[in-house]
Every structure is written in structure tokens, then in C-alpha cells.
Amino acid sequence: MSTRTSLSTRPPEDDRRPGELSVRELLRWTWRQVTSMRTALILLLLLALAAIPGSIIPQEGVDSLKTSNWQSDHPKLTPVYERLGLFSVYDSPWFSAIYILLMLSLVGCIVPRTFHYWRGLRAKPPAAPRNLTRLPEHATYATAEAPDVVLERARTALRKRRYRLTVDGDAVSAERGYLREAGNLVFHLSVLVVLVGFALGSMFGYKGGVILLVGDQYGFSNNLTQYDDFDPGSLFHASGMEPFSFTIDDFDVDWLTTGPRAGMARGFESHLSYQETPGSPEKKYDLKVNHPLSIGNTDVFLIGHGYAPVITVKDGNGDEVYSGPTVFLPVDQSFQSIGVVKAPDAEPTQIGLEGEFYPTVAFSKQTGSYYSLLGKPLDPMVSMLVYTGDLGMDTGAPQSVYALDKARTTMLTKKNGAPYRIDLRPGQTVSLPNGLGTVSFDGLQRWNKIQISQTPGKWIALAGVVLALLGLLGSLFIRPRRVWVRARREGGGTLVEVAALDRSGGGDMAAVVDEVVAAIQNRREDES
């Protein structure tokens, strides 16, 4: 009977295989792995690596035109990149996953270490080891003074050096350098603050771009319809946009005239007139690279410039079907630029022009083609091919103003089969063959590429960067160290032992020991 009772009360044996975990144990193990310092470092490295494609591959939210051109030039890679989200890296699920895991890991690292640091901050310095002379740096001397007098003098000297003290029997224990661990915590916390700042900016902010003609009286008003490309955050609302407007009155370029980079732009600035709100007083501002105009929480940046030839197209009936400045996009530092002209209302057939603009034209005998010698417009020329037929503008599908749909068009050719090309300098007009009409190059204007962004969390991110620097300085230059002073009766006098230990390594503790010994002995000499 008693045997059955003992068997019935025995706990059931665990029939799990070695290494098998319950759901609770698995979750606990997973959390420990995610919140380990090693995982945080790996995720930080992965985040840096994940940002590389965003710097190399054109991003739709930054420059949609450059992205579309890249996609046209790489038709095989484009579907693969689209599936991987490489044209919008910072909005992709995999980048967000790394971002969120890193934040979780940092929180899991910081919170336990903060409690541990708080307990250590309130704890007393450790008691003196039994044999201080076994420590690497130590000193001993004999004195006729009583041990209590020596210990009191040691406490006074160490307290002046901002050590935290405790007396345990015949020894004084002192410790300093607690802010080193605080520096480490601040550094890790700052990384979390920076991530939060960037997250707020990406969720509630926006970034957009627009190309504006210099001298255009209509200028720009900050609403969604005015942007050429616009990349809002996931929680962005248009009601948060600042109601400002501005025009570009003038534009100055400082060209290099000597040296290997002669002909390139060294610096440029736009002269703006702006209003912060409708009806407010007009103000002036000189917009330069890396010197944005700040209006409320919005920043206006100058990020590029180029040329807009003024082109007029008349059809076969003599009617003007296209006229005005046409933005050409630069392809190199000499501002050789590409652009298109579309005249869908031309009769008897639609006319499309595609070609290049050369600010200072030159001809290469080796390649048999034109090129731009300088970025400064000393001898401007526009050279374009002519296409006739359906430009595809009546289908309702959106088209880029910088690209020509040539799928249903025919390129004009000469009698020998060579492409028919028109080369125009300012003031020149050429008649198209077959009575198609005329094309004129009437003048030259400048344009500016303006980027407008609102980043709500930028000051939080900046504060995080400052905190990171402070924490890093603290962890590098603050050295935690411990000092012990023991005084006990031995023979007819008092034996004093002083020892020090550097907890970070690399410190000159011999100098610390000598300093403490000298401080105790100098006090004695002063009193005597």
C-alpha cells in the first residue's frame, strides 16, 4: 500500500527529447537571442548594408525620372529589382523588418543594463582583498601614527578626488568611473533615439522635387499639384504642408576658368522671392547648395540646374503648335543635355523632336559627333532628330515629358538613308522636309531643380547624434578604477598598504598609487 502511494505521488517523468523546448522556453530563448548585444551589432551592420542599394540604385521617391531611365536601360534587371523593392529600399518590408528588429534588440539590451547599472550605482564599493600586495600595482610603508588617523586621512584624500568611499574594518575601499557605463548606455540609447527620429520623419514627413524656370512669374506654391515627384510618409497628411510660395528671380553660376576642371560649375545660387503664407510680406533669400531655406518645418534645397532652350514649332499649315522653354536634362559635368519636344496638334501629322543641347558646342573629328566643351553657354546649339506619326499622347496613359514614345512613329531620313538632323543656334529657323513645318531656336533660359522636404523627427535624430558623441567620449575617456587603503598595527607601528586596480585596462595605476600615497603623507607633513 505504501509502495503504491509513493509511486502515485512521484512526479511524472519528462518524456521530451534532449534539446526540445516548450513554447514558453522557446519564446524566452528567442527573446534572449534577439536582445543580445551580438544580435544588435549584427542588425546594425545589416542596416548599413541594406542602405547601400538605396545609395547606388535610383530611388523612385528621390528622382522618379532617373529611376524610369534606369529601368528603360536595364529591362532584364528591372522586374527582379521591383520584386526585391530595390527602387524604394527604405519603404521595403525587408528594410522595415531590420529596422524594427534593431529597435527591439536595442530596447532589450538597454533596459536590463540600465537596472544593472542602477543597482551597481547604489551598491557600496567592494571590500578590500585580503592580500593587497598581490595586486599588480601596490605600495606599503610604515608609520608611527594610529591606523584610525591614517584611514581618516585616506578618506579625505580620496573624497577630494571624487571617489565613492566605504570603510570596512581596517581598510578604506574607494571606487570611481561609474560614468563610463553611463556613457555606454547613453551611446546605445542614442542609437535608439536616432532610429526613432528617422522613423518619425519617414512616417509623418515627405520629400518632393520640382523643376522651375528662372524668371517664371508663376513660381511654385506648396501644394501637391505643383510637384514633379512626391514621396509622402505612410502617415503623412496634406493638411500639414506649409502654405508658402516662391519664385526664382535670378540665378548665378561661378564657372571654373582655369585648371583641369575648367568649364565646370564651382558654385551656384538662386535668388528667391518667397511668402510664408498667402498675403504675407514678400521676403528675399539666396538659396545655395547645403544652405536651404527653412519655412516652418519645411526645408527648400537647391540640388541642380540646367538649360531650357526656347523652341517654336509651326506645322505645315503655318500654325504655331508648340512654343516655349523646353527643359533639357544634363548628362555630364559639361552640361551636355538631352530633351524632347512634342507637338501632337501639328498637321498634317504629329511631330516629335528628340536630341541634345550643347552649351558650348564643339565637334570631334575622331568620333564624328558634337560634344559640349564647356558648361558655360558661350556657343549654344541644339541638335535634334525628327519623328512623325502617332506620339501616343491620345491613349490616356501617362507619359514623361522627358521621353518620346517612338513605338508608332517614323524617324525622318535623308535620301541616303542617314537620319535627318536639325542643328540650330539661337535665332535660327529650319524648314522641315515634305512641308511638315518649321522649327526655331528662339533663345535660352535656365532652370533649377528644387527639393522640398519636411522631416518632423530631424531634431530628435540630431539630438541622438549628439548623445552618441557624448556617450562615446564618456566610454573612451572615463576609466573605472578602484583604490584600497589598509592600515593595521604591526610590531611597534602601523603598516599602511595602498593598492589600485584599473577595471578598463591600459591605465597607469602606478601613478595613481603614488598619488594617493603622496597625498596621505603630505597631509601628515603639513599637520606636523
Side-chain angles (χ1 to χ4, degrees), residues 166-452:
T166 184
V167 178
D168 185 13
D170 61 352
V172 174
S173 300
E175 189 172 14
R176 63 178 293 183
Y178 284 90
L179 289 179
R180 179 186 178 90
E181 180 62 21
N184 290 330
L185 288 174
V186 168
F187 178 78
H188 289 86
L189 179 63
S190 66
V191 177
L192 185 61
V193 171
V194 171
L195 292 176
V196 170
F198 279 120
L200 290 176
S202 62
M203 288 190 297
F204 295 96
Y206 70 88
K207 181 185 295 183
V210 61
I211 291 179
L212 297 176
L213 293 171
V214 176
D216 184 2
Q217 60 178 342
Y218 298 104
F220 173 84
S221 297
N222 191 33
N223 58 71
L224 296 178
T225 60
Q226 295 280 295
Y227 285 87
D228 294 334
D229 52 79
F230 191 80
D231 183 25
S234 56
L235 300 179
F236 164 79
H237 197 277
S239 60
M241 299 178 71
E242 308 282 352
F244 62 86
S245 61
F246 64 87
T247 58
I248 303 176
D249 301 327
D250 200 2
F251 180 68
D252 296 327
V253 183
D254 184 13
W255 299 98
L256 291 169
T257 57
T258 59
R261 302 181 64 187
M264 296 174 55
R266 175 169 53 187
F268 43 91
E269 62 179 320
S270 296
H271 305 287
L272 304 184
S273 298
Y274 71 96
Q275 292 178 295
E276 295 186 359
T277 58
S280 63
E282 187 177 81
K283 300 179 181 180
K284 302 290 185 180
Y285 189 82
D286 294 334
L287 189 64
K288 303 178 183 179
V289 176
N290 298 326
H291 291 79
L293 168 63
S294 296
I295 303 175
N297 295 321
T298 307
D299 294 321
V300 180
F301 296 87
L302 173 63
I303 62 174
H305 64 102
Y307 296 98
V310 180
I311 298 174
T312 300
V313 179
K314 294 184 178 180
D315 63 7
N317 298 329
D319 297 326
E320 188 177 282
V321 291
Y322 180 92
S323 181
T326 305
V327 173
F328 276 59
L329 303 176
V331 295
D332 58 25
Q333 294 180 338
S334 69
F335 284 84
Q336 181 174 327
S337 309
I338 58 174
V340 300
V341 174
K342 302 177 184 180
D345 298 327
E347 296 291 346
T349 180
Q350 297 181 10
I351 299 174
L353 307 175
E354 181 184 63
E356 297 178 322
F357 170 75
Y358 310 96
T360 300
V361 67
F363 184 79
S364 173
K365 294 181 179 180
Q366 295 180 349
T367 61
S369 60
Y370 292 108
Y371 68 96
S372 181
L373 183 63
L374 302 173
K376 190 174 183 179
L378 299 178
D379 185 16
M381 187 185 82
V382 62
S383 178
M384 295 180 290
L385 299 174
V386 182
Y387 294 86
T388 59
D390 185 5
L391 299 179
M393 301 182 67
D394 299 328
T395 61
Q399 278 193 11
S400 171
V401 296
Y402 308 109
L404 190 66
D405 184 1
K406 297 175 284 188
R408 293 174 294 276
T409 62
T410 302
M411 183 177 64
L412 292 186
T413 57
K414 299 178 181 179
K415 293 181 179 181
N416 59 2
Y420 179 83
R421 180 180 292 273
I422 56 175
D423 298 329
L424 295 171
R425 285 179 167 83
Q428 293 183 344
T429 301
V430 65
S431 297
L432 300 177
N434 305 324
L436 293 176
T438 61
V439 179
S440 303
F441 182 8
D442 301 326
L444 189 62
Q445 291 190 22
R446 306 297 298 266
W447 58 260
N448 287 173
K449 178 65 180 292
I450 304 296
Q451 178 181 289
I452 302 165

Side-chain angles (χ1 to χ4, degrees), residues 465-477:
V465 172
V466 174
L467 283 176
L469 291 175
L470 294 176
L472 187 60
L473 290 174
S475 62
L476 289 177
F477 295 104

